[in-house]
């Protein structure tokens, strides 16, 4: 009897040991299999993306922000904002290598910037989300190892003493630009981009036009904006006056401010007053001023560059006082938040 009890005890221990081993293997097997299927384990590698939308969403998070309505693209690893897209606008600001903008002949100001301004293939619409082509474009901008020239870099290629540059068509499209402006009943208002380029141009609304020899290598303020955003970066250009919203840049500063399809960033409470709050401005925004006798009439346009080392909000425009494009302080500080231009600022838009 004693021997029988010993045998039964040994058998029971063996059964429990075998059962325990089976349970461990089953749970271990389930854990490995489940993690392999879900990719949920913290040490598991992420499944390769099937397309560019999935690739972007794996690396970045899209966060909606108000005022104006926009989407911040944040890197998932550290939540750093790497791009900002504004709903209804093609302008996208991408974080890139740090640059310094200087113009020693007109100002001691130095602008240090990591903002690179790009023009998206279409206006951003957050509710529609990302499609494959837009995701590919955005990833290319964010992850470029050697960023190509952007709006801000191109805008500064027309300051004093910048050497000439010729494109593949043999057109001298870069270099020191003068200022060309005449306000009279029998002449065009001033030098447009094609006058500076010294080439004829065919507009969709008025047809073919010829450059003026009087204004070769010259730009008025709106011609300068059109050269940068239109000729250099493909925003559509119109030549005649407009009275309704258009997809592109009209000829004059007043028409641009009123009718270019864009997002309103800042404006005064009345047409004769400057905006009270400029906190929403970002590099690349278009700024508009009333510089003549009528405080309601917009007569000047420029491109916002960003803050200088002293906190001044610098813009670049083509001005008669400097005989061409400048962000300097000739007869008025080249900032939008104080002084001569700050008092006359009327409207800020984002293309």
């Amino acid at each position: 009897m004693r021997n029988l009890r010993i045998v039964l005890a040994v058998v029971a221990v063996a059964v429990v040991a075998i059962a325990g081993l089976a349970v461990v293997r089953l749970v271990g097997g389930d854990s490995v299999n489940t993690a392999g299927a879900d990719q949920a384990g913290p040490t598991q590698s992420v499944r390769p993306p099937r397309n560019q939308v999935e690739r972007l969403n794996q690396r970045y998070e899209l966060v909606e922000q108000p005022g104006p309505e926009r989407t911040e693209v944040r890197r998932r690893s550290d939540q750093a904002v790497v791009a900002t897209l504004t709903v209804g606008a093609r302008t996208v600001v991408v974080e890139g290598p740090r640059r310094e903008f200087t113009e020693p002949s007109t100002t001691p100001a130095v602008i240090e910037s990591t903002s690179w301004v790009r023009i998206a293939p279409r206006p951003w619409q957050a509710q529609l989300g990302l499609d494959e082509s837009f995701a590919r474009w955005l990833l290319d901008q964010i992850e470029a190892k050697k960023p190509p020239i952007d709006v801000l870099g191109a805008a500064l290629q027309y300051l004093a003493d910048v050497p000439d540059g010729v494109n593949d068509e043999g057109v001298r499209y870069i270099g020191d630009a003068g200022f060309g402006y005449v306000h009279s009943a029998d002449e065009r208002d001033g030098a447009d981009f094609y006058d500076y380029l010294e080439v004829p141009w065919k507009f969709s609304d008025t047809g073919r036009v010829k450059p003026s020899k009087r204004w070769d290598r010259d730009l008025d303020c709106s011609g300068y904006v059109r050269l940068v955003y239109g000729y250099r970066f493909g925003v559509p250009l119109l030549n005649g006056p407009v009275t309704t919203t258009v997809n592109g840049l009209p000829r004059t500063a007043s028409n641009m401010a009123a009718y270019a399809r864009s997002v309103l960033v800042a404006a005064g409470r009345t047409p004769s007053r400057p905006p009270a709050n400029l906190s929403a401005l970002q590099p690349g925004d278009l700024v508009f001023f009333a510089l003549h006798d009528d405080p309601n009439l917009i007569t000047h346009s420029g491109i916002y560059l960003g803050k200088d080392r002293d906190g001044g909000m610098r813009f670049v425009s083509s001005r008669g006082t400097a005989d061409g494009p400048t962000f300097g302080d000739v007869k008025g500080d080249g900032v939008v938040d104080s002084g001569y231009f700050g008092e006359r600022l009327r409207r800020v838009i984002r293309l």
Side-chain angles (χ1 to χ4, degrees):
M1 189 68 176
R2 178 183 175 83
N3 291 339
L4 178 59
R5 288 176 179 174
I6 292 173
V7 169
L8 291 175
V10 170
V11 171
V13 169
V15 170
V16 170
I18 292 170
L21 182 60
V23 168
V24 169
R25 284 179 176 171
L26 179 61
V27 172
D30 264 357
S31 297
V32 172
N33 290 341
T34 301
D38 295 344
Q39 299 293 325
T43 60
Q44 301 299 319
S45 60
V46 177
R47 176 176 56 79
R50 292 170 294 185
N51 53 48
Q52 299 303 312
V53 173
E54 194 168 282
R55 178 180 164 220
L56 189 143
N57 285 325
Q58 282 184 359
R59 300 182 184 185
Y60 305 97
E61 179 182 6
L62 303 185
V63 179
E64 305 307 317
Q65 298 287 359
E69 189 179 356
R70 64 198 190 279
T71 302
E72 291 181 347
V73 182
R74 298 181 182 178
R75 194 163 45 226
R76 291 189 180 275
S77 61
D78 60 4
Q79 286 298 294
V81 177
V82 297
T84 301
L85 303 91
T86 302
V87 174
R90 291 180 63 188
T91 303
V92 178
V93 175
V94 178
E95 284 295 298
R98 189 181 72 87
R99 299 179 286 180
E100 286 188 357
F101 302 145
T102 61
E103 193 182 348
S105 62
T106 64
T107 180
V110 177
I111 302 169
E112 295 181 345
S113 177
T114 57
S115 297
W116 293 65
V117 180
R118 304 294 182 196
I119 304 299
R122 60 171 173 81
W124 171 243
Q125 298 296 336
Q127 74 272 17
L128 300 180
L130 291 164
D131 58 31
E132 185 70 0
S133 62
F134 199 101
R136 180 182 294 106
W137 177 88
L138 185 56
L139 281 167
D140 287 344
Q141 311 313 308
I142 295 171
E143 300 181 346
K145 299 298 182 183
K146 294 183 178 180
I149 194 164
D150 73 322
V151 168
L152 305 187
L156 300 189
Q157 290 183 322
Y158 304 97
L159 303 188
D161 301 324
V162 172
D164 291 349
V166 178
N167 63 19
D168 293 340
E169 288 75 41
V171 177
R172 179 201 44 77
Y173 74 111
I174 291 173
D176 184 344
F179 180 78
Y181 180 81
V182 175
H183 188 71
S184 63
D186 58 346
E187 294 189 73
R188 289 191 282 124
D189 280 343
D192 203 356
F193 71 96
Y194 59 89
D195 294 310
Y196 171 83
L197 298 171
E198 302 175 283
V199 297
W201 196 262
K202 185 177 181 180
F203 290 98
S204 60
D205 58 339
T206 62
R208 186 180 176 86
V209 294
K210 294 181 179 180
S212 168
K213 293 183 178 179
R214 174 178 184 176
W215 288 322
D216 63 305
R217 306 192 65 145
D218 287 345
L219 292 164
D220 67 9
C221 63
S222 52
Y224 170 61
V225 170
R226 285 154 62 86
L227 176 64
V228 174
Y229 268 103
Y231 181 77
R232 296 291 298 273
F233 290 95
V235 173
L237 297 169
L238 297 106
N239 193 45
V242 298
T243 57
T244 188
T245 300
V246 293
N247 179 31
L249 287 173
R251 174 64 184 97
T252 65
S254 59
N255 267 196
M256 280 187 199
Y259 299 120
R261 191 176 304 281
S262 59
V263 174
L264 179 64
V265 177
R269 299 183 72 174
T270 67
S272 62
R273 300 293 299 167
N277 187 348
L278 300 179
S279 61
L281 267 68
Q282 70 179 25
D285 288 347
L286 298 188
V287 290
F288 297 93
F289 307 86
L291 298 188
H292 296 298
D293 295 335
D294 185 348
N296 297 289
L297 180 62
I298 287 174
T299 57
H300 191 66
S301 58
I303 301 170
Y304 179 59
L305 295 175
K307 291 184 177 181
D308 62 31
R309 286 177 178 171
D310 295 324
M313 302 177 74
R314 291 269 158 189
F315 76 102
V316 60
S317 66
S318 187
R319 307 172 206 166
T321 53
D323 190 27
T326 179
F327 62 84
D329 303 316
V330 180
K331 295 186 179 180
D333 292 349
V335 297
V336 299
D337 55 331
S338 65
Y340 177 82
F341 288 105
E343 294 172 359
R344 292 161 176 80
L345 180 67
R346 294 294 179 264
R347 194 172 180 87
V348 183
I349 65 173
R350 188 168 300 159
L351 295 179

